[in-house]
Amino acid sequence: MRVVAPDLTTIAEAAERLRSGGLVAFPTETVYGLGGDATNARAVAAIFELKARPSFNPLIVHVTNLVEAESHGMFNAAARQLAVALWPGPLSIVVRRREGSAICDLACAGGPTVALRVPAHPVARALLAATGRPLAAPSANPSGYLSPTTARHVAEAFRDSDLMVLDGGPCAIGLESTVIDCSAAGPAVLLRAGGIARDDIDEIIGAVEDGTAPDDQRPRSPGLLTRHYAPRLPLRLNARTVSGDEALLAFGAAPPSGAKMVLNLSPTGDLVEAAANLFAMLHALEQSDAVGIAVMSIPDQGLGRAINDRLRRGAEGSACTPADRP
Ligand code: TXA
Ligand code: MG
């Protein structure tokens, strides 16, 4: 853990760290973010590991401007109007991912959409410019803790890590960004209340739909969940053996043989590597002509908990696919 004042030298060092897969906590006008290169799945897996989230939520990806944002997502008229009016600022816009975007699957939790934000804070902007990569950054707090609005909050929360923290002083807004979903054809949906008031959004694109529950701010709309990874092939968990018509998602040094296609999450049993590979490998196995995907068991510790959470949900979802019915 190292807290530094942002200047040309420390920002260049932070950018170098990010480009080589390291993590840097940085100030935005809302809260401090725990940043990593959004195009590097290992870096994004390290974010989830440090936050100790028991599941993979999609992360907000920070970019320098609307042109860069449009290279990663498909902006409809409403999304563009909001971006033009309110960026840079405390607004995150969920849009469909653009094919060919270098943002990794894990940053989007395997889903077809991406949340993009252009922050206004000068340190965040300088860091984005120096790094030259989109930065995935959730709030820089361990899962279940309050969002950090000073560098000290971040330092105290991650005392034992080797995180670098850029100290930009207290955050002016101190409340997370508003998250609005413009990824579907219908009206935009407010997923999280935050730094931009709902009235300001209504004024720009007309009335938006409410996707937040009043008391806990969690999305009421099940749409958010269905946007997460839903497997096309049935998943069979804790497989010890595999049949010739199945694809195998392996883990560790000694996978069973005989599968139609095999991808190994981590031959060395490294959970960070496994998390980084999870969604891309599932997508690739789905492209095979196997009848299902057998998945070896993953230790239920550290990032393994988030991996297992995703796999369990995938297996439940696949229980009702036609292929699985008797
Ligand atoms: O102010 C903020 O938004 C801060 C700063 C660092 O930018 N970031 C932040 O990130 O609060 P996080 O990960 O703590 O919250 C991200 C929120 C979550 O509620 C997540 O579900 C939602 O945004 N989100 C991200 N990507 C999404 C997507 N593709 N679809 C729907 N919701 C998404
Ligand atoms: Mg948060």
Side-chain angles (χ1 to χ4, degrees):
M1 159 64 48
R2 192 158 60 95
V3 180
V4 298
D7 58 31
L8 278 180
T9 311
T10 54
I11 285 179
E13 186 194 330
E16 191 42 49
R17 219 180 141 99
L18 288 164
R19 277 196 301 269
S20 53
L23 304 186
V24 173
F26 62 92
T28 79
E29 68 276 25
T30 57
V31 300
Y32 276 74
L34 181 60
D37 177 357
T39 69
N40 179 340
R42 289 292 291 258
V44 175
I47 294 176
F48 283 110
E49 185 185 41
L50 195 54
K51 275 189 71 98
R53 260 185 186 171
S55 62
F56 295 122
N57 280 353
L59 304 180
I60 292 171
V61 177
H62 300 70
V63 292
T64 49
N65 56 42
L66 177 56
V67 173
E68 189 188 347
E70 292 210 37
S71 76
H72 296 295
M74 314 279 283
F75 280 62
N76 61 18
R80 198 168 294 131
Q81 281 170 315
L82 288 172
V84 166
L86 299 172
W87 278 356
L91 179 73
S92 299
I93 306 177
V94 175
V95 293
R96 291 191 69 81
R97 290 168 76 180
R98 187 179 289 281
E99 200 162 330
S101 158
I103 291 173
C104 68
D105 282 329
L106 186 57
C108 305
T113 61
V114 59
L116 292 160
R117 173 175 174 213
V118 175
H121 197 290
V123 173
R125 300 182 66 74
L127 183 65
L128 282 163
T131 309
R133 307 263 169 90
L135 295 179
S139 49
N141 53 287
S143 182
Y145 285 72
L146 285 178
S147 290
T149 56
T150 65
R152 227 184 85 198
H153 293 159
V154 182
E156 282 169 2
F158 298 110
R159 201 173 289 135
D160 300 326
S161 73
D162 70 344
L163 190 66
M164 176 177 185
V165 185
L166 291 171
D167 186 354
C171 301
I173 296 176
L175 180 72
E176 284 103 336
S177 64
T178 298
V179 180
I180 185 137
D181 186 349
C182 296
S183 66
V189 181
L190 186 72
L191 295 179
R192 183 175 74 183
I196 298 250
R198 187 196 181 123
D199 289 351
D200 294 337
I201 292 175
D202 287 350
E203 234 167 68
I204 297 162
I205 57 168
V208 298
E209 268 176 23
D210 203 350
T212 60
D215 40 2
D216 63 5
Q217 298 293 304
R218 269 200 307 257
R220 180 194 292 156
S221 136
L224 193 61
L225 282 180
T226 59
R227 268 148 228 258
H228 285 174
Y229 171 74
R232 198 180 60 79
L233 294 178
L235 300 184
R236 183 167 67 81
L237 304 187
N238 302 316
R240 291 161 174 278
T241 58
V242 64
S243 68
D245 54 2
E246 285 181 308
L248 177 66
L249 187 63
F251 179 82
S257 56
K260 177 158 246 168
M261 174 180 180
V262 183
L263 289 174
N264 198 327
L265 287 169
S266 172
T268 59
D270 175 347
L271 289 167
V272 178
E273 181 182 21
N277 285 330
L278 179 66
F279 292 107
M281 287 187 173
L282 281 168
H283 284 306
L285 292 174
E286 278 189 347
Q287 305 307 310
S288 72
D289 56 354
V291 298
I293 302 174
V295 185
M296 291 176 70
S297 88
I298 315 284
D300 208 38
Q301 67 201 39
L303 271 181
R305 287 193 304 148
I307 296 172
N308 284 325
D309 170 74
R310 174 56 62 227
L311 289 170
R312 266 193 302 271
R313 288 193 220 196
E316 276 164 28
S318 60
C320 51
T321 59
D324 220 36
R325 283 195 200 116

